Amino acid sequence: MKDTRIKILDAAQDLVQRVGVNAMSYKHISDTVGIRKASIHHHFPKKENLVDELLKRCQLSYGAYYNDIVRGSDSAPEKLRKLATVFENGLSNQKLCLVGSISTDSSTLQEHSCRILEQSIQNTVTIFATVFIQGKKECSLSFSETAEDAAFAFFSFLVGTQIVARSCGGTEFFHKAAQIIIDALEK
């Protein structure tokens, strides 16, 4: 049986990915988990504590998942397709990237939460950059900026396209847009 803290984090993550940080409330979480709001406050005294923990957990889980993809034996373009598929799969479940969803509400976050968010983004970009470095070495990707700049642009594209596709076009639009970008990068 799952620990109450994990249940709270799972419910909060699902809500943030579906409705955003500002629309998520402890009442929503308590209704989902079936506990009192006071129990949530016991584990996470303030919403910012919950957001910080969600971001840290995301760094670990998605960071490991992204690393598994980039450390594989596929070509760089194929790795980009697999990374895009992670975002497409989230979209098919009506869930945005957690970092992307929290980013849309970053102006309302506490400063320390913004630092954790920035670190999460930087960690993801660093992981993605290894694919662009590989693509340069194997001459399978063409881009004019640094690998980190290209990785940031690709990550931003995935997050932004996921947000837009949720409102217009769905996974079909997302898949087509991702394919166009990857084809443009591929030599």
Side-chain angles (χ1 to χ4, degrees):
M1 189 159 140
K2 281 187 182 177
D3 172 77
T4 301
R5 183 178 174 83
I6 300 300
K7 288 179 183 178
I8 293 167
L9 286 166
D10 290 346
Q13 180 171 332
D14 181 68
L15 286 163
V16 170
Q17 289 179 295
R18 291 181 191 279
V19 301
V21 170
N22 292 334
M24 177 208 54
S25 71
Y26 276 23
K27 170 129 177 56
H28 290 122
I29 297 169
S30 69
D31 290 346
T32 301
V33 178
I35 60 175
R36 295 185 348 226
K37 287 192 302 184
S39 297
I40 300 169
H41 284 283
H42 169 75
H43 292 282
F44 303 100
K46 296 180 182 177
K47 194 174 184 180
E48 65 195 60
N49 304 123
L50 180 58
V51 170
D52 292 352
E53 191 64 31
L54 286 172
L55 286 168
K56 291 173 186 174
R57 186 170 92 147
C58 181
Q59 281 185 42
L60 292 174
S61 62
Y62 278 93
Y65 190 46
Y66 297 151
N67 269 316
D68 286 347
I69 292 171
V70 303
R71 290 181 181 148
S73 60
D74 294 315
S75 68
E78 187 56 33
K79 289 178 183 179
L80 293 180
R81 286 183 188 88
K82 287 182 176 182
L83 291 169
T85 299
V86 173
F87 288 77
E88 185 176 341
N89 290 342
L91 180 62
S92 71
N93 293 315
Q94 293 300 307
K95 292 183 179 183
L96 296 178
C97 163
L98 184 68
V99 168
S101 182
I102 293 174
S103 291
T104 64
D105 293 324
S106 65
S107 64
T108 63
L109 297 178
Q110 296 295 317
E111 186 177 325
H112 62 87
S113 298
C114 287
R115 283 194 303 271
I116 296 170
L117 177 61
E118 289 171 13
Q119 188 60 54
S120 296
I121 293 167
Q122 187 54 54
N123 289 346
T124 301
V125 168
T126 299
I127 293 168
F128 283 25
T130 61
V131 177
F132 286 90
I133 292 167
Q134 174 190 342
K136 272 283 200 214
K137 287 181 182 175
E138 67 188 21
C139 297
S140 63
L141 296 177
S142 176
F143 53 94
S144 58
E145 301 300 324
T146 67
E148 187 159 293
D149 289 340
F152 181 82
F154 186 68
F155 176 64
S156 299
F157 161 79
L158 294 174
V159 170
T161 304
Q162 191 184 50
I163 291 168
V164 172
R166 184 166 78 168
S167 298
C168 177
T171 55
E172 184 178 322
F173 173 86
F174 182 92
H175 184 80
K176 186 175 183 179
Q179 191 59 49
I180 289 168
I181 293 299
I182 295 167
D183 286 351
L185 288 166
E186 195 170 10
K187 278 188 176 181

